[in-house]
Amino acid sequence: FATFTKQLDEEYGMAEPVVVDIRTLITIPHDVAGVEFTGLIDLPESRVKVVAKVVPQIIDHLVRNAIQELTQIDRKGEITIAAYRNGETVLIEVSDNGRGIRRDRWEWIFDAFHTTKKHSSGTGLHNSRIKAVAFGGGLKVKSSEKGKGTTFQFWLPVWRA
């Protein structure tokens, strides 16, 4: 964790997590050609303790991956960002209507340096998961079906002082 905290300090100029209402960190993108975005944010005030830039960075990475995937299909792309509470956990899901991911690859895609792209370091999903775990949360493939798309789920615990 110390190495990760040092990386956060270098990357963001702050290593100390802050307590923040996660609703202020979630934005729904728009104006991406050929992709329709939907936001389903059903959250009461939900405070989490995290380096504030980590949440948008993870969401942004998942959305960028979905957009890249949607360039591979021959129908209108759809991305949904949903956020809700389940007990003492905030869950954020990014879903697309792309090609889907084979179940045997659901964990493999989180391996360091894994990539299916020509010009990529393959660190994005791996780093996103590490950042989520560092703050008591996680990141996984929630569901995926061939030809229908994929849903990634990212979660953080609700902060209780």
Side-chain angles (χ1 to χ4, degrees):
F1 187 76
T3 302
F4 179 70
T5 302
K6 182 179 179 199
Q7 177 188 352
L8 285 176
D9 190 31
E10 292 169 358
E11 191 171 344
Y12 300 123
M14 60 179 279
E16 290 300 315
V18 295
V19 177
V20 61
D21 184 353
I22 198 164
R23 296 175 301 178
T24 65
L25 304 177
I26 301 170
T27 58
I28 308 302
H30 57 340
D31 296 335
V32 175
V35 178
E36 179 181 324
F37 288 92
T38 303
L40 304 172
I41 312 302
D42 185 22
L43 279 173
E45 180 176 357
S46 299
R47 300 176 78 67
V48 296
K49 188 170 186 180
V50 65
V51 172
K53 291 184 179 181
V54 166
V55 172
Q57 184 182 40
I58 292 171
I59 294 170
D60 180 64
H61 183 80
L62 294 172
V63 167
R64 281 187 290 117
N65 276 0
I67 290 168
Q68 289 172 347
E69 168 58 26
L70 294 174
T71 65
Q72 306 297 316
I73 64 173
D74 59 0
R75 62 186 179 278
K76 183 175 182 177
E78 298 173 2
I79 296 175
T80 300
I81 300 173
Y84 57 95
R85 286 263 303 257
N86 183 1
E88 296 301 305
T89 304
V90 174
L91 298 119
I92 299 171
E93 296 176 354
V94 176
S95 303
D96 67 56
N97 67 330
R99 296 176 297 175
I101 301 168
R102 290 188 353 219
R103 190 167 186 80
D104 64 326
R105 294 187 177 193
W106 285 15
E107 283 302 313
W108 178 62
I109 61 174
F110 292 101
D111 288 351
F113 310 112
H114 162 76
T115 186
T116 59
K117 301 168 192 149
K118 288 183 180 179
H119 304 288
S120 174
S121 63
T123 59
L125 285 172
H126 175 76
N127 285 347
S128 291
R129 179 180 262 182
I130 287 172
K131 289 173 184 178
V133 169
F135 294 104
L139 173 62
K140 69 177 185 176
V141 176
K142 179 181 178 185
S143 63
S144 189
E145 189 173 342
K146 185 177 180 176
K148 294 193 177 180
T150 301
T151 298
F152 282 87
Q153 187 179 69
F154 157 51
W155 65 91
L156 290 171
V158 173
W159 175 255
R160 296 286 183 216

